[in-house]
Amino acid sequence: MEAFVKDYDKVIKKQRMLETNDPLDRLINIVNEAKDKIRADPSSVSASLTALGKTIKTVSSGISEEHKELQSALSKYSKAIDKRFTGDMIAAINPHAFDNKENILRNTIAMHFIRQGNFEIGDTFAKEAGLKLPESMRHKFMEMFEIVEALKVNSLEPALEWSTRHRRELEKRSSILEFKLHRQRYLQLLEASRKEDAIAYAKQNFGYFGTRHTQEIMRLMGCLLFFDRIKSSPYADLIAPNANADIQHMFTRDFCSLIGLSCESPLYISVTVGTQAMPTIIKMSSIMKAKKTEWSQQSELPVEINLTDDTKFHSIFACPVSKEQATDENPPMMMVCGHVICKESLVKLSRSVPNGRLKCPYCPTESMSSQAKNVYF
Amino acid sequence: MNKINHDQLLSLEHPFIKIPVEKFRSSLKTEQKHIEKEIAHLTNTVSEISKKSQHGIMDANQVQTALEAIVSRLSTLKRRLTETRAEESLYSQRTKVRLQHLQEFTAIPTLDSDEFGRWSRVRLNRILIDYMLREGFRETASYLAKSENMEDLVDIELFVQSAKIEQALNKYSCSECLQWCNENKSSLKKIKSTLEFSLREQEFIELARERRSQDAIAYAKKHLTPWQETHMKELSQVMALLAFPPDTKCQPYKRLYDKSRWRNIISQFRSNNFALQFFTPEPLLNVTLQAGLSALKTPMCYLPEHRNINCPVCDPHTLGLLATDLPLSHHFNSSIVCRISGQIMNEDNLPMALPNGYVYSYNALAQMASLNGGKITCPRTGAVFDIAQVKKVFIS
């Protein structure tokens, strides 16, 4: 990228030169000068005009030279772009995959803005595209963003109020949000040197969590010993610098999970994964085009696209022996030693041993194939 | 895994970086053409004045007036060029901003950094604005660009003219589009466009529809004959319309009279317009979304018991529905996701099997056990076990 920026800076320099030294101004000036000369000395008409003709010639050749330089710098730059940015995205699209699904896509876009807290943009879009957004979603996200805004300025009360109200549902999802919020409030009091208030707060609120979070509460109370120097005590980890961001994230995640939605905008995830997948898909589709097939018409991609850990949502088990993906008919089986292979591979391996005791392909353990059991990921 | 392959991702940004440069170039060309024409005119006029004054046809005063006229002509041109020049600096500035935007990207180290998240969100907005502009949602596009402070990263004004032309075509008027064809004659020739012929043909069809045979013939003589070398077949076919009334059942004339031809013209105009301005023929959103949905799609996404609310494809009403016609992802390597915590199981967070064969991550089971006095409840079967009963699983 550096090289492009430098090349382009050259273009800009040339453009500035033309801008500050306007060719038309230059022409106007020389004509005016000739005119002034003639006015001052009418007898010099013919000499002045000849001189003017000559100056026009030199000035204009200078002007077209400058223009040419600028244009050639620009076209050089433009060609360099074509060389460098080569992704032919069109090879990688099935123009009919979304046919008759415009409204699904548009609804997803509108919801994306609502989910980001961009309510006005979501509304403008819905209006322009003629969509009806469910009011209830909008209200829920408005509530969520109000609480998040409060969390941003370290005000935990709205979040606490919400999580106490939804205690049952949260616990069912083994959420620890409510406790984390109380813990944060307690630590806030300590940090503000309000020791007495902190103790009172702990007394009032930690009791409910006594059985589930015993260890954590012990530590929280233990840090009172180092009240004035927690940061240099064994309890320093309690005061994490990004505690606020963490709790915002935990709240958003739990809030969305409670209303049955993902924590991150699905549109954002899909497009971000898509841009990462594009280079591979472009390469693959150009190979497939050469073989006169279309990737988008296949039931399965012929190549593997690596996903980052945060975009892996389903367990994939590919048998290390056969390299095939597990299915209901060919499920993963765990041998006695704990290694997992697919059923078909297990059957094949046990066929080749006479006494039925097969050696695990990955460790020295021998076992009967009947001892292997189904595992569920 | 989380390292960014900058080169690969940058290679996708061709339209982003190319569009303003080409606009800049074409404005410059326009300006240069005007100036060259002006210089030629100037040279001629001065030599004429010079001749006239030598032959005594013009005196010093008249020469001065003539020179004044030249100056005022030049000044007029200068005023006329202000718009072109404003365009030049706009697109020049835009190119610079976009280069900077891509340069910022090259400085981002990993896919899981905050900077990458921020940059990707801007990119998503770019992609969404591109989609809105193509679909005619200009108000939202402008609003979003303005509120996110990214007007230089999108090409809103390039859609103003094309929207007008499309509107005209929607109202069955070809003249705006024909004018556009004329303005872009040489570029259209380069991409071997037949848009102009289609428009001429359509105007002829409309005359035939109104049964104005004489006008139609005159029109055809003037506007269709230039195409005889390349489009003779279409030409004779469309001429035959004069013999058929608009309500004919006879093919291909019925098809020629069909109003749906206008829709084809609109899409022909669109694809020509995009090609000329270096836009991709399909919205970037569709391209990236298809790739992304395919990469995420697994057979599990459509089985309710395997549904993961965080997975975009698992939503059967939105993206899952969009993904139905797309290929599934393919994997040669295992990656096991914990159904309790959503975390990936690996050496740092081992997969553990319960006695019933269900596998969860060590961290999730340990946390559950610590909150429940060493007991674990399998979330899928409801069975309760002791933490001591779980067994390490090895995935290679």
Side-chain angles (χ1 to χ4, degrees):
Chain A
M1 282 315 295
E2 294 272 306
F4 284 98
V5 177
K6 266 193 196 144
D7 273 359
Y8 195 70
D9 279 343
K10 279 183 209 155
V11 173
I12 290 186
K13 225 170 156 185
K14 293 203 165 94
Q15 187 206 3
R16 292 264 158 79
M17 256 167 58
L18 265 176
E19 244 173 29
T20 48
N21 197 2
D22 185 341
L24 288 171
D25 280 342
R26 276 184 268 168
L27 292 171
I28 291 173
N29 278 342
I30 55 175
V31 178
N32 270 334
E33 269 166 30
K35 198 184 75 189
D36 289 346
K37 227 175 182 178
I38 294 169
R39 184 186 303 143
D41 177 11
S43 65
S44 73
V45 171
S46 104
S48 300
L49 283 175
T50 329
L52 176 61
K54 270 187 196 148
T55 337
I56 288 173
K57 218 175 186 180
T58 43
V59 169
S60 57
S61 76
I63 291 170
S64 66
E65 195 61 34
E66 283 165 37
H67 262 282
K68 250 182 225 151
E69 267 178 37
L70 174 55
Q71 291 215 14
S72 80
L74 199 55
S75 86
K76 210 174 119 196
Y77 167 79
S78 177
K79 274 185 196 135
I81 289 176
D82 294 343
K83 245 190 197 159
R84 172 66 185 74
F85 299 87
T86 47
D88 175 19
M89 294 205 262
I90 288 331
I93 189 173
N94 168 6
H96 302 297
F98 294 164
D99 278 0
N100 303 319
K101 292 179 181 170
E102 288 87 0
N103 271 341
I104 301 169
L105 182 56
R106 288 172 190 175
N107 265 317
T108 312
I109 295 174
M111 270 309 287
H112 165 78
F113 289 121
I114 301 287
R115 305 198 45 154
Q116 307 285 110
N118 279 336
F119 298 106
E120 281 171 37
I121 290 176
D123 288 344
T124 316
F125 182 74
K127 205 172 130 206
E128 230 180 346
L131 305 170
K132 261 216 144 64
L133 294 180
E135 273 297 305
S136 58
M137 275 297 158
R138 204 196 136 94
H139 283 310
K140 278 176 189 150
F141 278 103
M142 279 183 121
E143 184 186 7
M144 184 180 102
F145 281 104
E146 265 167 37
I147 298 176
V148 171
E149 285 308 312
L151 283 176
K152 274 186 191 158
V153 292
N154 280 321
S155 153
L156 303 174
E157 280 73 17
L160 267 168
E161 189 271 325
W162 179 87
S163 60
T164 316
R165 190 148 39 94
H166 295 92
R167 183 181 274 171
R168 273 261 182 85
E169 296 136 279
L170 286 169
E171 278 175 2
K172 231 164 81 189
R173 288 174 163 74
S174 35
S175 156
I176 50 169
L177 175 68
E178 193 186 354
F179 176 68
K180 285 278 175 193
L181 287 165
H182 281 303
R183 172 186 181 276
Q184 186 71 7
R185 179 77 196 118
Y186 168 80
L187 290 169
Q188 273 181 3
L189 291 169
L190 278 190
E191 268 188 287
S193 302
R194 290 164 59 188
K195 195 172 169 183
E196 302 306 318
D197 292 342
I199 296 173
Y201 190 84
K203 264 190 191 160
Q204 197 188 342
N205 295 295
F206 285 173
Y208 176 78
F209 304 96
T211 46
R212 293 190 82 198
H213 299 278
T214 330
Q215 294 289 326
E216 184 80 22
I217 294 174
M218 274 161 62
R219 292 204 74 219
L220 286 171
M221 300 317 287
C223 82
L224 282 171
L225 290 174
F226 300 92
F227 167 65
D228 33 15
R229 55 178 191 90
I230 295 180
K231 277 183 185 139
S232 57
S233 77
Y235 295 97
D237 62 292
L238 289 177
I239 301 180
N242 43 7
N244 189 302
D246 287 348
I247 217 143
Q248 279 174 43
H249 182 257
M250 186 185 263
F251 168 75
T252 323
R253 193 192 61 201
D254 286 356
F255 188 101
C256 290
S257 138
L258 222 59
I259 55 176
L261 292 176
S262 60
C263 160
E264 184 55 88
S265 154
L267 188 65
Y268 172 74
I269 296 177
S270 311
V271 168
T272 308
V273 168
T275 38
Q276 272 140 240
M278 282 306 288
T280 315
I281 290 189
I282 289 173
K283 210 169 168 188
M284 170 195 81
S285 57
S286 63
I287 295 170
M288 292 183 74
K289 271 242 162 82
K291 292 184 186 162
K292 302 228 156 54
T293 41
E294 286 285 340
W295 75 275
S296 49
Q297 310 293 323
Q298 308 289 314
S299 65
E300 200 170 278
L301 293 176
V303 290
E304 180 165 27
I305 287 166
N306 287 321
L307 298 171
T308 51
D309 282 355
D310 58 337
T311 53
K312 289 177 182 162
F313 300 108
H314 299 281
S315 291
I316 305 285
F317 182 76
C319 174
V321 177
S322 67
K323 302 285 169 204
E324 275 170 24
Q325 258 169 262
T327 59
D328 283 350
E329 293 74 43
N330 186 22
M333 305 290 286
M334 181 171 70
M335 292 172 282
V336 176
C337 52
H339 285 103
V340 184
I341 60 177
C342 273
K343 194 170 187 173
E344 282 173 12
S345 305
L346 187 77
V347 172
K348 260 185 210 160
L349 285 173
S350 58
R351 251 189 236 139
S352 57
V353 284
N355 58 358
R357 286 189 74 80
L358 63 104
K359 190 195 99 40
C360 168
Y362 301 97
C363 74
T365 317
E366 283 186 11
S367 62
M368 301 294 288
S369 65
S370 57
Q371 286 174 287
K373 45 185 221 188
N374 268 12
V375 284
Y376 307 92
F377 294 116
Chain B
M1 179 63 241
N2 284 329
K3 250 187 97 204
I4 301 179
N5 188 334
H6 295 103
D7 280 358
Q8 279 193 350
L9 286 177
L10 281 179
S11 75
L12 304 175
E13 300 288 359
H14 185 261
F16 178 64
I17 209 80
K18 181 89 175 170
I19 290 166
V21 174
E22 287 305 312
K23 286 307 265 184
F24 184 13
R25 268 178 83 180
S26 81
S27 294
L28 264 183
K29 265 187 204 153
T30 321
E31 181 187 333
Q32 197 194 4
K33 233 185 254 163
H34 278 291
I35 290 185
E36 267 171 11
K37 213 170 120 197
E38 199 57 28
I39 286 175
H41 180 266
L42 180 65
T43 319
N44 280 340
T45 328
V46 169
S47 80
E48 230 168 75
I49 297 173
S50 176
K51 255 184 225 152
K52 277 183 185 161
S53 91
Q54 267 168 23
H55 292 101
I57 306 172
M58 262 183 163
D59 64 15
N61 272 335
Q62 282 169 317
V63 169
Q64 279 184 52
T65 330
L67 290 180
E68 240 162 61
I70 293 176
V71 169
S72 86
R73 195 186 143 107
L74 285 169
S75 313
T76 318
L77 178 68
K78 196 183 163 181
R79 266 198 308 280
R80 268 184 39 212
L81 282 181
T82 24
E83 212 175 290
T84 325
R85 289 197 166 151
E87 247 177 42
E88 279 167 37
S89 34
L90 171 74
Y91 292 114
S92 167
Q93 156 76 8
R94 207 164 261 191
T95 301
K96 205 169 159 66
V97 172
R98 292 185 185 193
L99 279 171
Q100 269 165 5
H101 183 64
L102 294 187
Q103 212 178 5
E104 273 164 36
F105 174 69
T106 57
I108 299 172
T110 56
L111 292 169
D112 52 4
S113 57
D114 289 347
E115 293 96 325
F116 180 73
R118 269 194 293 277
W119 198 86
S120 301
R121 275 173 209 286
V122 176
R123 180 180 54 194
L124 175 60
N125 281 334
R126 283 200 270 135
I127 291 174
L128 287 174
I129 290 175
D130 170 78
Y131 173 83
M132 292 171 190
L133 290 171
R134 288 166 191 252
E135 298 293 307
F137 306 140
R138 244 188 17 251
E139 196 189 330
T140 321
S142 316
Y143 188 13
L144 180 58
K146 204 165 180 186
S147 70
E148 297 290 323
N149 215 353
M150 48 186 287
E151 280 152 312
D152 276 334
L153 303 181
V154 290
D155 303 284
I156 293 173
E157 73 294 330
L158 297 188
F159 284 83
V160 175
Q161 191 194 14
S162 61
K164 271 187 201 145
I165 294 171
E166 279 184 31
Q167 264 167 23
L169 288 173
N170 264 323
K171 287 183 191 148
Y172 308 128
S173 158
C174 287
S175 44
E176 292 78 359
C177 194
L178 277 167
Q179 195 195 335
W180 180 84
C181 285
N182 197 30
E183 281 163 20
N184 297 287
K185 214 170 199 143
S186 60
S187 319
L188 284 170
K189 215 171 171 180
K190 247 184 233 159
I191 59 165
K192 300 201 173 73
S193 159
T194 55
L195 174 63
E196 193 182 342
F197 179 74
S198 305
L199 289 163
R200 295 295 182 196
E201 213 182 1
Q202 193 61 42
E203 290 210 314
F204 177 86
I205 294 171
E206 294 308 316
L207 289 172
R209 195 194 307 280
E210 291 168 30
R211 309 312 289 154
R212 287 161 57 189
S213 302
Q214 291 308 317
D215 294 342
I217 292 168
Y219 184 90
K221 254 190 193 159
K222 191 168 172 204
H223 295 296
L224 291 180
T225 43
W227 300 85
Q228 58 184 1
E229 270 175 37
T230 47
H231 292 73
M232 198 55 213
K233 206 180 137 230
E234 290 93 334
L235 234 166
S236 44
Q237 206 173 60
V238 81
M239 284 309 288
L241 274 189
L242 294 173
F244 293 87
D247 55 0
T248 179
K249 299 264 184 302
C250 178
Q251 289 293 16
Y253 309 106
K254 184 173 184 254
R255 204 179 58 237
L256 284 171
Y257 275 126
D258 197 333
K259 290 266 185 187
S260 71
R261 282 194 95 238
W262 284 97
R263 274 208 302 279
N264 298 342
I265 290 181
I266 292 179
S267 65
Q268 206 181 345
F269 163 69
R270 274 189 177 200
S271 74
N272 281 187
N273 183 32
F274 291 151
L276 249 50
Q277 308 202 61
F278 296 91
F279 282 97
T280 51
E282 296 287 328
L284 295 171
L285 181 65
N286 297 21
V287 187
T288 47
L289 203 51
Q290 284 187 14
L293 291 175
S294 241
L296 290 168
K297 188 177 168 186
T298 68
M300 277 87 89
C301 297
Y302 294 93
L303 302 171
E305 71 271 24
H306 285 290
R307 201 176 156 217
N308 179 342
I309 56 161
N310 288 314
C311 170
V313 187
C314 282
D315 188 334
H317 305 297
T318 61
L319 294 172
L321 203 50
L322 277 185
T324 43
D325 295 334
L326 297 172
L328 289 164
S329 63
H330 185 79
H331 298 275
F332 301 103
N333 298 302
S334 301
S335 60
I336 310 296
V337 182
C338 176
R339 293 283 286 257
I340 299 174
S341 66
Q343 282 169 345
I344 301 294
M345 298 185 234
N346 52 25
E347 313 76 67
D348 304 325
N349 188 14
L350 284 172
M352 308 296 284
L354 304 186
N356 62 4
Y358 285 77
V359 177
Y360 302 100
S361 72
Y362 176 79
N363 291 355
L365 292 178
Q367 197 198 359
M368 196 193 273
S370 82
L371 295 177
N372 296 294
K375 292 278 179 230
I376 290 159
T377 313
C378 172
R380 280 178 281 177
T381 62
V384 179
F385 302 103
D386 197 90
I387 182 83
Q389 290 174 276
V390 303
K391 201 175 164 226
K392 265 187 216 167
V393 180
F394 298 100
I395 312 281
S396 30

